Amino acid sequence: MTRPLIRLVVLAAGISVATAGCTLDTATNSSGDVVDVVIGYQSKTINTVTAGTLLRAKGFLERRLSGVTDRTGTEYKVNWQDYDTGAPITAQMVAEKIDIGSMGDYPMLINGSSTQANERARTQIVSVTGYHPRGALNMVVVTPNSPVQTLTDLKGQKVSASVGSAGHGTLVRALSNAGVDPKTGVEVLNQQPQIGASALESGQVQALSQFVAWPGLLVYQDKAKLLYDGAEGNYPTLHGVVVRRAYAADHPEVLDAFLQAQLDATDFLNDKPLEAARIVAEDSGLPQEVVYLYNGPGGTSFDTTLKPSLVEALKGDVPYLESIGDFADLDVAGFVHDAPLRAAFDARGLDYDRALAATANPSLIEGTDPVCHIEVADPAKAGELWLDGAEATQPAASPACLLKAVREAKARGAVVRAAYVPDTEFGTRWFADKAIWVKDGQTYLPFATPGGAQRFIAAHPGSAAVDYEQALAGAA
């Protein structure tokens, strides 16, 4: 790993700004009655969609700003800039070329550290887009035929990761927990997600550690299998929104409009997750089945509030960043600023403190299971079946009910687009046909990783791993 990571983020501004400058008429400067609003987002980082892909596709921000124009006469020009990771967004914010950006937890901290020396560039976190309380948004995958079964099997191997990203931070923490020195135990190749995916497929690396949606995408495409689920580390991971403080001070109405629009997008996604997945898939180029894996009910928690547990998690991320580069000391508590979001809640007649205290995922699988003919009583066990041509998914009250639903659907000639189940150990939403199934007596249980299945089998004598087809045939 390279030491000058944080410095490289800032140096990249010189290159990135030159490129972006060609696409902007006035960068972020405002003149006359037209205010420029430059948004940096990541279309393929799908748990930021409420501040990026979905927000843009639905036109929520433009609609909110139009309302401001109607009231004040001031016009706004929105410029959306799409990036693969958070680092180039930070580079542009350092150069005062992006006003509002969305990115993951580690990149947000790098953003705050890198921008704080310049008052015009200095940023603050103003909202969360999506989070997972156990960290299941980051994963490590290996090739489908890899003999690797645990993280310790990666000793001496090459692993692709975007250094400084949430995916890399998860790898470092996971290796440390497994007793492997993350600096000397493996060789980390610092690569962008798509480059790392190609490196894994070509055999240049033996594993890839990334953030959503890359692990799920590669597994869905049968180019990888899941080795490590970030939920095993039981450490929260989040993505959120940062804004340049000077810009927010100059144009508080823009920040308010953005947060209101983000709340609009969040409500839309939680109310209509399948439609939201379709929109995001069309705009990002990702398969809708992969988008829905993460953004469907029981996946990412799309909740804008800046929860104390997430702020504490950010504080706990700092030592990792200090270990990989020149990370300038950052007052994390001071970096988090919830006053604008509180005001946005108040304007909608919502209780921010009540939402702040809520811990349940706002979107859960509900309804009547049409195969087992029972209500979904336990969201932690519930799954979903998505049939080709269907306008809605059908709920499954348990993994057994899902297996029976898939079996019955196939028997009548229906085509299964996707089936989703919660991992038995940690609850991570995963593809049923990519899960490792374990038979325990007459019960079939899904596990996202081989390690999870092995731990269960070791603790339950007589249980054994079976393949998906065996589970389908045996479910009763």
Side-chain angles (χ1 to χ4, degrees):
M1 290 182 288
T2 56
R3 292 286 300 174
L5 167 71
I6 311 301
R7 188 182 297 118
L8 286 175
V9 171
V10 180
L11 291 177
I15 299 173
S16 301
V17 171
T19 303
C22 296
T23 64
L24 297 178
D25 294 331
T26 57
T28 60
N29 296 320
S30 303
S31 59
D33 290 330
V34 178
V35 175
D36 288 299
V37 185
V38 186
I39 310 295
Y41 74 110
Q42 304 169 64
S43 63
K44 287 183 170 58
T45 305
I46 54 178
N47 52 319
T48 65
V49 297
T50 53
T53 310
L54 182 63
L55 182 67
R56 178 184 183 182
K58 292 294 293 180
F60 288 130
L61 176 58
E62 288 80 359
R63 198 172 308 154
R64 288 286 180 174
L65 289 173
S66 178
V68 178
T69 299
D70 291 342
R71 294 192 299 272
T72 66
T74 301
E75 296 184 355
Y76 298 88
K77 178 183 177 183
V78 181
N79 183 290
W80 296 87
Q81 296 186 7
D82 187 7
Y83 297 91
D84 291 325
T85 65
I89 296 175
T90 290
Q92 295 286 59
M93 297 187 88
V94 168
E96 303 171 37
K97 295 292 185 178
I98 283 180
D99 306 311
I100 301 172
S102 55
M103 59 191 71
D105 34 23
Y106 295 102
M108 282 195 293
L109 291 169
I110 294 173
N111 182 286
S113 173
S114 301
T115 61
Q116 62 184 340
N118 176 1
E119 280 301 317
R120 293 296 302 175
R122 193 177 182 189
T123 59
Q124 56 193 9
I125 299 176
V126 291
S127 68
V128 170
T129 55
Y131 77 96
H132 194 284
R134 294 192 63 97
L137 302 178
N138 307 307
M139 297 174 168
V140 181
V141 296
V142 294
T143 55
N145 59 353
S146 172
V148 172
Q149 293 291 304
T150 66
L151 286 172
T152 56
D153 294 336
L154 290 176
K155 284 184 179 180
Q157 304 295 311
K158 294 180 180 179
V159 181
S160 175
S162 301
V163 176
S165 73
H168 181 240
T170 293
L171 175 67
V172 170
R173 182 174 278 112
L175 288 172
S176 298
N177 290 342
V180 179
D181 189 325
K183 292 183 178 180
T184 62
V186 300
E187 181 182 351
V188 174
L189 273 61
N190 184 11
Q191 298 174 322
Q192 293 293 304
Q194 66 272 31
I195 302 301
S198 297
L200 181 68
E201 189 174 5
S202 68
Q204 181 187 2
V205 298
Q206 285 67 57
L208 177 140
S209 183
Q210 278 295 351
F211 47 83
V212 295
W214 290 97
L217 174 63
L218 294 175
V219 171
Y220 174 77
Q221 294 174 331
D222 292 323
K223 295 179 179 179
K225 63 182 179 182
L226 186 60
L227 174 68
Y228 177 83
D229 173 9
E232 185 176 335
N234 194 24
Y235 195 85
T237 186
L238 67 142
H239 283 65
V241 175
V242 289
V243 63
R244 288 195 299 111
R245 298 186 186 203
Y247 184 86
D250 291 342
H251 304 291
E253 79 286 359
V254 173
L255 178 57
D256 178 66
F258 184 92
L259 292 174
Q260 292 290 357
Q262 186 191 345
L263 289 168
D264 293 338
T266 301
D267 288 345
F268 182 87
L269 187 149
N270 286 328
D271 291 342
K272 301 177 180 179
L274 194 62
E275 183 178 349
R278 177 188 60 78
I279 293 170
V280 171
E282 290 177 353
D283 204 70
S284 67
L286 291 166
Q288 190 175 347
E289 296 85 350
V290 174
V291 176
Y292 196 62
L293 168 70
Y294 293 110
N295 291 8
T300 304
S301 288
F302 284 94
D303 176 343
T304 59
T305 59
L306 291 154
K307 300 183 185 301
S309 61
L310 300 181
V311 176
E312 288 303 308
L314 289 172
K315 293 178 182 178
D317 291 336
V318 170
Y320 154 74
L321 293 172
E322 292 175 335
S323 74
I324 64 170
D326 299 328
F327 184 81
D329 187 41
L330 178 67
D331 175 12
V332 175
F335 181 45
V336 176
H337 185 53
D338 68 357
L341 186 59
R342 284 181 175 274
F345 266 68
D346 287 344
R348 299 166 84 101
L350 300 175
D351 186 337
Y352 181 83
D353 288 321
R354 181 178 180 181
L356 187 70
T359 57
N361 192 317
S363 179
L364 297 172
I365 298 172
E366 299 175 328
T368 302
D369 183 323
V371 173
C372 287
H373 307 292
I374 56 175
E375 289 294 314
V376 174
D378 186 356
K381 295 181 179 179
E384 279 186 290
L385 175 60
W386 185 3
L387 298 177
D388 191 36
E391 295 184 357
T393 59
Q394 67 183 58
S398 67
C401 291
L402 180 76
L403 290 171
K404 288 192 287 185
V406 172
R407 185 176 65 207
E408 290 184 10
K410 288 186 173 182
R412 64 175 184 268
V415 176
V416 176
R417 286 192 65 168
Y420 305 98
V421 289
D423 170 74
T424 300
E425 189 173 25
F426 301 121
T428 301
R429 180 176 165 93
W430 198 238
F431 295 115
D433 62 332
K434 308 300 183 185
I436 298 168
W437 289 85
V438 172
K439 182 181 181 183
D440 183 29
Q442 297 304 309
T443 303
Y444 291 86
L445 301 171
F447 293 85
T449 66
Q454 291 165 6
R455 285 188 290 272
F456 183 89
I457 291 171
H460 297 79
S463 61
V466 297
D467 63 31
Y468 184 50
E469 293 303 321
Q470 289 174 311
L472 286 175

